[in-house]
Amino acid sequence: MNGPIVDRIIRKKKHDIMKKVKMGTRIFPIMPMSILGAKVDGKANFMALGWLSRVNANPPLIGVAVNKSHYSIAGIKENKTFSINIPTKKMMKETDYCGLTSGKNTDKSEIFNVFYGKLLTAPMIDECPLCIECKLVETVEMPTNELFIGEIIETHIEPQYLTDDIPDIKKIDPIFLTMPDNNYWTLGEKIGKAWSAGKELKK
Ligand SMILES: Cc1cc2nc3c(=O)[nH]c(=O)nc-3n(C[C@H](O)[C@H](O)[C@H](O)COP(=O)(O)O)c2cc1C
């Protein structure tokens, strides 16, 4: 019943599934790296964060999954705010450091130049090309993590990282994390236009 192109895609898919091996349940291989900012005990604290995603269109919501043992949790809950800071690849070591150390025993408030926006309690990192301040709107408790859902209240970006008034991902040069090999990567080549590349298969 399907057209010849769709038939071909479906046949190819069945073939691929036959060749796959099972890897268990813990593989989620690629994530954009960010640094979560929270004000804890009156001080800025930053932690490395790979588990984040846009989760709603309107209002614009972001979900971040934070382990219950982390120091950042107290600040997010107390102020009901947090920030997401997108580091450039030059900030790989600082980003990793924020993931290797805890605010419980290391003061991370001096690593970066910190600024605050509308929310006043979501510390942001001046060195990061792009910073997003979020107001906590919902907390979903999971067995090991808390899923904090935040509404984007403002996004701060330096003009040098814009092209035609939108964030230019090449200029931002973000970091990606792969697991379980635990490596950092940079952006590859643009391969097509989203919401457009598949159009020719609709013919
Ligand atoms: C590459 C990388 C990614 C990480 N991603 C997350 C994450 O998504 N969620 C999380 O809870 N912890 C994550 N962590 C661990 C925290 O950043 C780390 O435990 C940190 O010390 C917590 O800081 P805090 O105790 O000051 O809040 C990550 C660590 C690294 C190195």
Side-chain angles (χ1 to χ4, degrees), residues 89-141:
K89 76 171 179 203
K90 291 185 187 132
M91 297 174 69
M92 180 187 70
K93 287 183 187 169
E94 290 83 353
T95 305
D96 198 60
Y97 177 79
C98 290
L100 292 169
T101 52
S102 174
K104 285 176 205 158
N105 41 44
T106 306
D107 181 357
K108 293 187 261 185
S109 66
E110 303 276 315
I111 308 168
F112 308 107
N113 290 308
V114 175
F115 72 100
Y116 290 87
K118 288 181 185 165
L119 292 174
L120 306 176
T121 51
M124 288 176 280
I125 300 173
D126 199 32
E127 290 84 341
C128 284
L130 197 145
C131 309
I132 301 168
E133 45 179 328
C134 296
K135 185 179 77 176
L136 183 67
V137 293
E138 200 166 329
T139 304
V140 184
E141 194 166 336

Side-chain angles (χ1 to χ4, degrees), residues 2-152:
N2 293 313
I5 295 174
V6 176
D7 280 348
R8 205 181 67 223
I9 294 168
I10 291 167
R11 270 206 308 280
K12 180 72 178 22
K13 226 176 173 181
K14 277 183 188 152
H15 182 70
D16 283 347
I17 288 165
M18 301 270 288
K19 286 195 294 189
K20 287 185 172 58
V21 294
K22 294 187 175 66
M23 294 284 303
T25 57
R26 289 169 184 259
I27 308 290
F28 187 77
I30 174 96
M31 288 151 268
M33 266 318 288
S34 66
I35 303 172
L36 183 145
K39 196 169 188 182
V40 193
D41 272 342
K43 270 188 179 174
N45 188 65
F46 298 101
M47 61 162 267
L49 181 92
W51 293 6
L52 88 160
S53 178
R54 180 85 183 257
V55 295
N56 195 60
N58 196 11
L61 302 180
I62 290 190
V64 296
V66 182
N67 193 284
K68 287 180 182 173
S69 64
H70 294 347
Y71 186 69
S72 303
I73 290 256
I76 299 172
K77 288 191 166 175
E78 186 191 331
N79 301 305
K80 304 207 170 352
T81 59
F82 61 89
S83 72
I84 298 294
N85 304 272
I86 306 297
T88 184
K89 76 171 179 203
K90 291 185 187 132
M91 297 174 69
M92 180 187 70
K93 287 183 187 169
E94 290 83 353
T95 305
D96 198 60
Y97 177 79
C98 290
L100 292 169
T101 52
S102 174
K104 285 176 205 158
N105 41 44
T106 306
D107 181 357
K108 293 187 261 185
S109 66
E110 303 276 315
I111 308 168
F112 308 107
N113 290 308
V114 175
F115 72 100
Y116 290 87
K118 288 181 185 165
L119 292 174
L120 306 176
T121 51
M124 288 176 280
I125 300 173
D126 199 32
E127 290 84 341
C128 284
L130 197 145
C131 309
I132 301 168
E133 45 179 328
C134 296
K135 185 179 77 176
L136 183 67
V137 293
E138 200 166 329
T139 304
V140 184
E141 194 166 336
M142 306 287 184
T144 58
N145 288 50
E146 308 239 25
L147 175 63
F148 294 114
I149 299 176
E151 180 176 350
I152 299 176

